[in-house]
Amino acid sequence: VYRAVTTLKAVERFEDSQAYWLERYRTGGDSGDGSYGKLAQYKADFINGFAKEHGVKTVFELGCGDGNQMSLFELPSYVGADISSESVKICRDRSVGKPREFMLTDAFERRFGAGHFDMGLSLDVIYHLVEDHHFEKYIDLLFSRASRFVLVYSSDHDAYDPAIPHIKHRKFADVVARRFPNWVLQRVESNPYLKSPDATEYGSFANFHVFEKRDQASH
């Protein structure tokens, strides 16, 4: 109930997607239903299995949120970045003693160069990047810092409802193809909990999109 109330207040005074999430975490909100329950377990199982199958050692996530989703990961090395200092603090508290590191997105961008990680993760973030400049900067950082794979869990169509101002669906895969032609969309994993964007039943309108860098895909 508390999460719903704080989220509603943030939506009512929505001005900017970054400001929305900063306020949401500052006032006690969390990362949303997609980071909990069956959806969180589904995503974790897919990511853990993929990393193991492909020998992925180093992973980063842009938009680690409140860390509940991250707590289900079984990865050798993980770096989480977020725009919210409150989010970073929560994640650090949840990960004491584990091979994980958290930092603000700006610090992440300064610290790590191109191709530093085996794999990048983007989970339920892209359709929350309402402004084009936030979206483009995010995509560039996500695909420049990975060297082998990028897993994007998101919708991939264009739609926007002003009544839900913090969500803007985008055909992001087309943008990736234009901006990063050396990255290949290998497959889209069908979500067993998929629902239509305007449906009210439990589920998500996102699927896993598996990208592989061309010099890796050619082997």
Side-chain angles (χ1 to χ4, degrees), residues 37-109:
K38 292 180 180 179
L39 282 170
Q41 191 62 58
Y42 160 68
K43 285 185 280 184
D45 289 345
F46 182 85
I47 292 166
N48 292 337
F50 186 93
K52 184 176 181 180
E53 177 184 356
H54 294 279
V56 170
K57 301 300 183 184
T58 56
V59 178
F60 73 97
E61 181 181 6
L62 288 185
C64 53
D66 65 14
N68 190 72
Q69 178 69 74
M70 170 275 304
S71 69
L72 301 174
F73 294 157
E74 298 171 359
L75 301 169
S77 173
Y78 169 97
V79 174
D82 203 279
I83 62 168
S84 166
S85 57
E86 186 66 28
S87 166
V88 170
K89 180 181 182 301
I90 293 169
C91 288
R92 285 173 178 167
D93 291 344
R94 272 186 156 153
S95 302
V96 175
K98 297 181 180 179
R100 294 171 185 175
E101 189 175 0
F102 303 91
M103 63 193 68
L104 291 173
T105 304
D106 287 346
F108 174 89
E109 184 175 11

Side-chain angles (χ1 to χ4, degrees), residues 11-25:
V11 169
E12 287 175 345
R13 57 175 177 265
F14 181 86
E15 296 179 358
D16 172 89
S17 55
Q18 285 198 358
Y20 168 84
W21 286 100
L22 289 170
E23 176 71 0
R24 178 160 167 158
Y25 290 123

Side-chain angles (χ1 to χ4, degrees), residues 104-189:
L104 291 173
T105 304
D106 287 346
F108 174 89
E109 184 175 11
R110 291 192 301 268
R111 178 172 168 183
F112 298 107
H116 186 92
F117 298 86
D118 290 341
M119 185 167 76
L121 297 177
S122 172
L123 309 176
D124 292 300
V125 174
I126 285 178
Y127 55 83
H128 285 301
L129 300 173
V130 176
E131 301 81 15
D132 290 346
H133 64 282
H134 287 327
F135 165 69
E136 291 166 3
K137 181 177 180 179
Y138 180 90
I139 286 290
D140 288 350
L141 187 58
L142 178 67
F143 281 87
S144 66
R145 295 318 192 256
S147 63
R148 296 179 61 198
F149 302 103
V150 172
L151 302 185
V152 179
Y153 183 80
S154 180
S155 54
D156 188 30
H157 64 274
D158 289 326
Y160 182 67
D161 181 356
I164 312 174
H166 64 299
I167 292 178
K168 182 177 183 177
H169 299 285
R170 298 175 181 271
K171 292 192 71 173
F172 78 93
D174 289 349
V175 176
V176 173
R178 291 196 302 270
R179 297 174 79 94
F180 290 92
N182 56 330
W183 284 90
V184 180
L185 178 58
Q186 292 287 34
R187 74 179 194 272
V188 178
E189 186 76 10

